[in-house]
């Protein structure tokens, strides 16, 4: 399951349970819609309730990251799991966005709204 909140140039996305291709497709649609209103987005990914993802999602994530390599200004990843944090570093090889990892959403929000 996925929950998406839109706030000007910021997308807040929370993933729950196992991330499916349908969930990821919903995320892609939200990003593409937001890009119509501005050249660069800020993104908050809350992965604290995510239990995993399917193999097709992993492939789609790589494709998506390459296509949108220059579409994000900042990406905050909130996670309590070490393995998810390490996986979160992988997209940084494909994007020019500033990526940071947080243990709570309040700190992530503060960073995204900062200078």
């Amino acid at each position: 399951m996925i929950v998406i909140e839109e706030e000007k140039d910021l997308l807040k996305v929370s993933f729950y349970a196992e991330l499916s291709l349908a969930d990821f497709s919903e995320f892609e649609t939200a990003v593409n819609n937001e890009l119509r209103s501005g050249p660069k987005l800020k993104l908050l990914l809350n992965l604290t309730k995510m239990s995993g993802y399917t193999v097709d999602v992993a492939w789609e994530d790589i494709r998506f990251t390459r296509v949108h390599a220059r579409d994000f200004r900042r990406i905050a990843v909130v996670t309590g799991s070490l393995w998810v944090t390490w996986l979160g570093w992988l997209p940084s090889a494909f994007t020019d966005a500033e990526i940071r990892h947080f243990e709570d959403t309040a700190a992530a929000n503060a960073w995204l709204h900062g200078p």
Side-chain angles (χ1 to χ4, degrees):
M1 185 174 130
I2 183 173
V3 174
I4 301 172
E5 298 175 53
E6 299 173 17
E7 180 183 304
K8 294 186 182 182
D9 64 342
L10 171 62
L11 274 181
K12 296 179 180 181
V13 183
S14 298
F15 295 107
Y16 298 88
E18 184 177 70
L19 179 60
S20 70
L21 192 56
D23 295 330
F24 198 85
S25 178
E26 189 176 338
F27 166 68
E28 286 181 297
T29 299
V31 167
N32 288 328
N33 288 341
E34 284 297 307
L35 285 172
R36 290 187 188 121
S37 63
K40 290 223 178 206
L41 298 176
K42 292 181 279 185
L43 178 64
L44 187 149
L45 294 174
N46 186 338
L47 309 179
T48 57
K49 304 290 185 194
M50 188 177 89
S51 62
Y53 50 88
T54 59
V55 174
D56 51 352
V57 169
W59 179 252
E60 187 63 17
D61 182 41
I62 292 169
R63 186 202 63 77
F64 173 84
T65 304
R66 291 182 69 203
V67 168
H68 293 285
R70 302 205 184 320
D71 292 337
F72 295 98
R73 186 173 29 202
R74 285 185 167 181
I75 301 172
V77 181
V78 180
T79 179
S81 173
L82 186 58
W83 73 268
V84 176
T85 300
W86 283 108
L87 287 176
W89 286 107
L90 182 61
S92 63
F94 301 104
T95 182
D96 62 356
E98 187 177 358
I99 301 175
R100 291 209 184 152
H101 295 86
F102 299 88
E103 291 186 13
D104 65 85
T105 52
N109 267 316
W111 178 70
L112 287 168
H113 287 96

